[in-house]
Amino acid sequence: MSAVDAGDETPEALLLAGERRALVLGAVRRLSREHQELVSRVFGLHGSPQSVRSLAEAWGTPKSRVNRMLASALEELRELLADEGA
């Protein structure tokens, strides 16, 4: 097991987890408003996570559209995080 396993609570592991969270939250803030809202709700960044189905119902849009939006948002987030690492 490595020092950064999920159950490991060494100071180093906690510091690394905090740094990763800060990077991800910073990248989320750089997404479009719509993508920010979607990612925040699905992953519970500011409350309880919501399912794609419940979001689609709340937004009055097909679940398939919300899935495509989420895929697009996650791709954009990956690109932003890759740029941070470069």
Side-chain angles (χ1 to χ4, degrees), residues 2-15 17:
S2 74
V4 293
D5 286 336
D8 195 347
E9 294 193 22
T10 66
E12 295 85 3
L14 293 172
L15 180 62

